[in-house]
């Protein structure tokens, strides 16, 4: 309903703009043909231009705050009671629109009646066709008029000399199809009867058509002054038919003045262009729809279209020259700095300590450090090519070959190892040198959800159907409740509009949510990798402690079991499983 009213207002605003430009700049000019097309284009522009919309996208940067929980930022929707108040049969807007439609229908009936009256005159009267024009002489009319190819007159009321001048005028109306302009103007009267500018606009169209017909007729008659005297003499009562062109329909004084006006300078035709900046201003003010979108950088939307990973292995037997070659290759092929330092070797020239750092100079960095006495396990570096020639990388050790279950107490001390429960060993878990990844945060400033209007409390119906007093009170309470509900209609409509705006804003956060999900996946992978590093270090420490305590996993002859001692108190245990893949 609001859209219809907005359209009607825009149409009438455009008609006002064209009318003002015509009256101020063009009505005194003698470019009657140009003025005719200007006025017609004003009608068509007023109808069509409100449907033209220019989309302008404005990007904005979303404000970001640290949030620890998604649930805390998601707005809570208010549950609305299902008990709806009884709505009125028609709203105020619907009543107004109904009245508007009834009056439009009345004007339509009036126009149809004029058509019926016109065709009755045409069908019951004698006619004569000459050069595509039909001349109808009838005593049913007092004033000559034309309608498309029909020219109707009463020769008993006008002498032959005057009639000849009038016929030239009406022939101009018929030959130039002026009835089309009159019908189009009447159509606007039917739809926009409430706007006085529309009535004045139609008057300007009819007046300009009379100027056109006069300029044509004056060139066909021999005596210009006699034609003007005929115009003054024809003062009979008009037919009151709005869809025809009558000889005395417009101001006689104005027509005579225009007949004696000199032709306008051709340069004055540039005045028609005045309407162009006016229309541009209208479009910029009312026909530009702004769509707000969050500016998303490529890094947010970067899709990892990975090619097959390039895998590099650093083993205990790798030489210094091989490691230097790796560094050069990473720099040249991937623009990644591979820094290898802190290399230590044992007597067999095997690497026992190494510090590897990867840096792409874009904020992404990875580090892997090993410092021990035994030969290092193979270290794998994976490089993947993503979008726009960007590379991602990962570094880690080989996967485990068997399942081990360990139990740590709250001091991070090893307390039990699967299948080795009867062995008394004490191992400290050393996690120094292992860099833990930083968890991503949902860095979004969610918009505040609109609050739903407060619902009036509905009265409860009496439990006893025969209690008349209770039911009478209930009916009064219901009347009050209905009035309260009606008073909240505006608030609810406002709430619906605000909810639509809120939903559009929430849609703009979807790219950030997807980015957060991708970062969480990367974080989980990093955590899994670092977990394996810790588990591997624990396993190596277990083996080292077992070796130093002289434990041998080869089994001999089983001896008798000794008596079990009393069990001491146990700390809370955290079981961590290393799954075999």
């Amino acid at each position: 309903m609001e859209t219809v009213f907005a359209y009607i207002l825009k149409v009438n605003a455009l008609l006002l703009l064209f009318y003002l430009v015509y009256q101020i700049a063009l009505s005194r000019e003698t470019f009657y043909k140009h003025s005719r097309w200007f006025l017609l284009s004003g009608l068509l522009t007023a109808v069509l231009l409100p449907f033209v919309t220019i989309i302008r996208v404005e990007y904005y940067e979303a404000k970001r705050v640290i949030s620890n929980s998604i649930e805390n930022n998601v707005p809570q929707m208010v549950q609305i009671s299902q008990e709806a108040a009884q709505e009125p049969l028609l709203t105020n807007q619907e009543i107004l629109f109904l009245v508007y439609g009834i009056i439009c229908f009345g004007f339509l009936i009036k126009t149809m009646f004029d058509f019926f009256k016109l065709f009755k005159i045409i069908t019951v009267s004698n006619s004569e066709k000459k050069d595509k024009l039909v001349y109808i002489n009838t005593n049913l009319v007092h004033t000559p008029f034309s309608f498309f190819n029909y020219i109707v007159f009463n020769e008993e009321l006008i002498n032959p000399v005057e009639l000849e001048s009038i016929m030239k005028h009406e022939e101009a109306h018929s030959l130039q199809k002026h009835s089309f302009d009159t019908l189009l103007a009447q159509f606007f009267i039917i739809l926009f009867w409430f706007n006085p500018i529309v009535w004045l606009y139609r008057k300007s169209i009819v007046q300009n058509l009379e100027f056109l017909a006069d300029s044509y007729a004056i060139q066909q008659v021999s005596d210009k002054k006699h034609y003007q005297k005929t115009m003054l003499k024809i003062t009979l009562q008009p037919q009151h038919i709005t869809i025809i062109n009558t000889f005395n329909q417009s101001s006689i004084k104005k027509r005579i003045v225009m007949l004696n006006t000199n032709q306008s300078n051709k340069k004055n035709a540039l005045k028609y262009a005045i309407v162009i900046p006016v229309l541009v201003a209208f479009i910029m003010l009312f026909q530009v729809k702004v769509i707000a979108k969050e500016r998303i950088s490529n890094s947010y939307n970067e899709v990892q279209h990975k090619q097959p990973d390039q895998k590099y292995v650093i083993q205990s037997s790798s030489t210094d020259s091989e490691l230097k070659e790796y560094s050069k290759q990473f720099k040249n092929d991937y623009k990644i700095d591979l820094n290898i330092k802190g290399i230590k070797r044992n007597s067999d020239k095997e690497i026992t300590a190494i510090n590897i750092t990867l840096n792409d100079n874009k904020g992404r960095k990875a580090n892997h450090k090993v410092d021990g006495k035994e030969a290092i396990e193979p270290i794998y570096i994976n490089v993947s090519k993503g979008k726009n020639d960007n590379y991602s990388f990962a570094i880690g050790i080989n996967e485990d070959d068997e399942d081990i279950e360990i139990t740590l107490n709250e001091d991070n001390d090893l307390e039990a190892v699967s299948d080795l429960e009867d062995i008394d060993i004490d191992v400290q878990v050393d996690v120094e040198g292992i860099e833990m990844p930083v968890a991503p945060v949902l860095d979004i400033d969610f918009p505040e959800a609109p609050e739903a209007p407060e619902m009036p409390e509905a009265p409860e119906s009496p439990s006893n159907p025969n209690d008349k007093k209770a039911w009478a009170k209930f009916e009064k309470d219901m009347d009050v409740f209905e009035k309260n509900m009606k008073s909240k209609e505006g608030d609810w409509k406002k709430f619906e509009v605000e909810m639509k705006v809120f939903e559009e804003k929430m849609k703009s956060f979807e790219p950030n949510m997807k980015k957060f999900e991708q970062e969480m996946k990367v974080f989980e992978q990093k955590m899994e990798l670092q977990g394996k590093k810790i588990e591997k270090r624990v396993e190596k420490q277990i083996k080292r402690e077992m070796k130093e305590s002289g434990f041998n996993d080869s089994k001999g002859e089983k001896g008798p079991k000794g008596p079990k001692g009393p069990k001491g108190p146990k700390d809370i245990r955290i079981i961590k499983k290393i799954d075999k893949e």
Side-chain angles (χ1 to χ4, degrees):
M1 192 70 70
E2 290 82 359
T3 304
V4 176
F5 283 122
Y7 174 77
I8 292 175
L9 288 175
K10 288 180 180 180
V11 171
N12 285 273
L14 287 168
L15 289 175
L16 175 62
L17 293 177
F18 271 87
Y19 178 76
L20 291 177
V21 171
Y22 175 76
Q23 287 296 328
I24 295 172
L26 305 173
S27 60
R28 295 177 179 82
E29 303 296 336
T30 59
F31 305 117
Y32 305 131
K33 289 183 180 180
H34 297 330
S35 295
R36 179 192 181 187
W37 295 115
F38 176 85
L39 293 170
L40 288 178
S41 64
L43 296 178
L44 297 177
T45 302
V47 173
L48 299 177
L49 188 58
F51 292 106
V52 177
T53 302
I54 298 176
I55 304 297
R56 188 178 72 196
V57 180
E58 290 188 356
Y59 292 94
Y60 66 93
E61 297 290 344
K63 296 181 180 179
R64 308 185 185 281
V65 296
I66 297 175
S67 174
N68 295 325
S69 174
I70 298 176
E71 290 80 8
N72 292 336
N73 288 297
V74 176
Q76 300 296 320
M77 303 305 297
V78 179
Q79 185 175 1
I80 301 174
S81 173
Q82 295 180 353
E83 298 181 6
Q86 184 179 359
E87 295 183 358
L89 185 62
L90 291 174
T91 64
N92 294 335
Q93 287 184 345
E94 291 171 340
I95 292 173
L96 183 63
F97 194 75
L98 180 61
V99 172
Y100 165 78
I102 292 173
I103 298 177
C104 288
F105 183 73
F107 277 96
L108 179 62
I109 294 298
K110 172 66 169 58
T111 304
M112 297 301 294
F113 179 77
D114 289 343
F115 270 108
F116 175 77
K117 188 176 179 180
L118 173 63
F119 285 116
K120 183 180 178 181
I121 294 173
I122 293 174
T123 54
V124 300
S125 304
N126 296 325
S127 61
E128 181 183 359
K129 187 174 183 180
K130 294 180 181 180
D131 298 330
K132 298 181 181 181
L133 298 179
V134 180
Y135 297 86
I136 298 175
N137 182 16
T138 177
N139 57 4
L140 297 177
V141 300
H142 301 286
T143 304
F145 67 85
S146 60
F147 182 74
F148 285 101
N149 293 338
Y150 295 95
I151 299 176
V152 183
F153 61 96
N154 187 351
E155 65 179 4
E156 295 178 359
L157 301 178
I158 308 172
N159 65 59
V161 177
E162 293 171 344
L163 182 62
E164 181 182 359
S165 299
I166 294 173
M167 286 300 100
K168 296 299 181 182
H169 179 93
E170 298 302 329
E171 285 173 2
H173 283 311
S174 296
L175 293 173
Q176 297 175 19
K177 307 300 180 185
H178 292 175
S179 295
F180 172 80
D181 304 47
T182 307
L183 284 176
L184 185 59
Q186 182 62 22
F187 172 76
F188 274 77
I189 291 292
I190 294 173
L191 291 180
F192 310 113
W193 48 266
F194 56 88
N195 185 4
I197 295 298
V198 177
W199 296 84
L200 295 174
Y201 201 99
R202 185 183 70 168
K203 182 179 178 181
S204 296
I205 289 177
V206 172
Q207 189 179 69
N208 186 71
L209 295 178
E210 294 302 320
F211 296 159
L212 266 174
D214 288 339
S215 64
Y216 172 85
I218 204 69
Q219 296 175 2
Q220 304 297 322
V221 298
S222 57
D223 192 345
K224 182 177 179 181
K225 291 184 178 180
H226 186 270
Y227 179 81
Q228 298 177 31
K229 290 179 180 179
T230 303
M231 294 169 59
L232 292 171
K233 185 177 180 181
I234 302 300
T235 57
L236 301 176
Q237 184 179 0
Q239 293 295 320
H240 296 296
I241 300 177
T242 57
I243 59 174
I244 61 176
N245 299 106
T246 61
F247 183 75
N248 63 343
Q249 192 171 32
S250 184
S251 171
I252 299 299
K253 181 181 177 180
K254 180 71 172 178
R255 289 167 59 184
I256 293 176
V257 170
M258 296 304 293
L259 279 174
N260 291 279
T261 301
N262 295 328
Q263 292 293 317
S264 300
N265 192 321
K266 292 183 178 180
K267 292 182 180 179
N268 292 346
L270 296 174
K271 292 181 179 180
Y272 289 97
I274 295 176
V275 76
I276 295 177
V278 176
L279 291 178
V280 171
F282 178 88
I283 292 173
M284 297 305 296
L285 287 174
F286 303 108
Q287 298 304 113
V288 176
K289 183 178 180 181
V290 179
I291 298 178
K293 287 187 177 181
E294 182 182 356
R295 189 180 301 280
I296 303 173
S297 63
N298 291 334
S299 59
Y300 289 172
N301 284 340
E302 184 175 340
V303 181
Q304 298 294 333
H305 301 292
K306 292 185 177 181
Q307 295 179 350
D309 293 352
Q310 299 294 324
K311 183 176 290 187
Y312 300 85
V313 184
I314 297 177
Q315 303 184 36
S316 60
S317 58
S318 299
T319 63
D320 292 344
S321 60
E322 290 175 345
L323 298 179
K324 289 181 180 179
E325 186 64 29
Y326 278 166
S327 297
K328 291 181 181 179
Q329 186 175 353
F330 271 67
K331 186 67 175 179
N332 296 331
D333 296 348
Y334 312 122
K335 303 295 187 290
I336 296 174
D337 293 331
L338 174 60
N339 187 10
I340 303 174
K341 59 183 180 179
I343 300 176
K344 295 180 182 179
R345 298 179 185 271
N346 56 18
S347 57
D348 295 329
K349 296 186 178 180
E350 293 177 328
I351 298 175
T352 60
I354 191 170
N355 187 357
I356 305 172
T357 303
L358 289 164
N359 189 355
D360 64 353
N361 298 317
K362 295 180 181 178
R364 290 180 293 185
K365 188 176 180 181
N367 177 263
H368 185 81
K369 182 179 179 182
V370 179
D371 189 3
K373 297 179 181 179
E374 297 183 357
I376 63 171
E377 298 290 337
I379 301 173
Y380 295 89
I381 303 175
N382 290 345
V383 181
S384 302
K385 184 176 182 181
K387 192 177 179 181
N388 298 329
D389 291 334
N390 290 326
Y391 291 92
S392 61
F393 47 81
I395 184 170
I397 58 176
N398 192 14
E399 296 179 351
D400 300 320
D401 296 328
E402 59 181 355
D403 292 345
I404 302 173
E405 184 177 299
I406 63 174
T407 304
L408 303 177
N409 62 20
E410 59 186 15
D411 294 328
N412 245 8
D413 294 333
L414 182 67
E415 185 167 352
V417 181
S418 58
D419 299 328
L420 301 174
E421 289 86 351
D422 297 332
I423 301 174
D424 184 17
I425 56 177
D426 183 17
V427 178
Q428 298 291 326
V429 180
D430 181 16
V431 293
E432 292 184 4
I434 298 179
E435 182 180 354
M436 300 302 292
V438 179
V441 294
L442 184 58
D443 202 7
I444 298 176
D445 185 10
F446 284 100
E448 184 178 355
E451 294 184 2
E454 184 179 355
M455 289 286 293
E457 186 177 356
E460 295 183 2
S461 59
S463 57
N464 185 3
N466 298 321
D467 191 348
K468 294 182 179 180
K469 291 183 178 180
W471 278 101
K473 183 179 182 302
F474 173 72
E475 290 177 357
K476 290 181 180 179
D477 293 341
M478 279 300 297
D479 291 339
V480 174
F481 174 73
E482 290 174 0
K483 290 180 181 179
N484 292 336
M485 287 298 296
K486 287 181 181 178
S487 65
K488 295 290 184 180
E489 285 181 358
D491 295 338
W492 278 104
K493 289 182 179 179
K494 180 181 177 182
F495 173 71
E496 291 174 359
V497 173
E498 291 176 347
M499 278 302 298
K500 289 180 181 178
V501 175
F502 171 74
E503 290 171 359
E504 290 296 326
K505 289 182 178 179
M506 287 300 295
K507 287 181 181 178
S508 66
F509 293 120
E510 289 180 0
N512 284 9
M513 291 297 296
K514 292 180 180 178
K515 173 180 175 288
F516 175 73
E517 291 174 0
Q518 293 176 354
E519 291 177 345
M520 279 301 298
K521 290 180 180 178
V522 174
F523 172 72
E524 290 170 358
Q525 292 174 355
K526 290 181 178 179
M527 284 297 296
E528 183 180 357
L529 178 62
Q530 298 299 75
K532 287 184 178 181
K533 290 181 181 180
I534 295 174
E535 292 161 3
K536 195 71 176 178
R537 182 164 297 184
V538 170
E539 180 187 1
K540 290 174 67 176
Q541 287 180 269
I542 292 173
K543 290 180 179 179
R544 186 182 300 111
E545 293 295 332
M546 290 171 61
K547 185 176 180 180
E548 291 176 357
S549 61
F551 173 75
N552 192 340
D553 59 356
S554 59
K555 294 184 180 180
E557 185 179 353
K558 193 171 184 178
K561 276 190 177 181
K564 290 187 176 181
K567 293 185 178 181
K570 293 190 175 179
D571 295 326
I572 298 175
R573 296 183 176 183
I574 303 171
I575 306 299
K576 188 173 179 85
K577 182 77 173 178
I578 304 176
D579 296 325
K580 182 177 180 181
E581 296 183 359

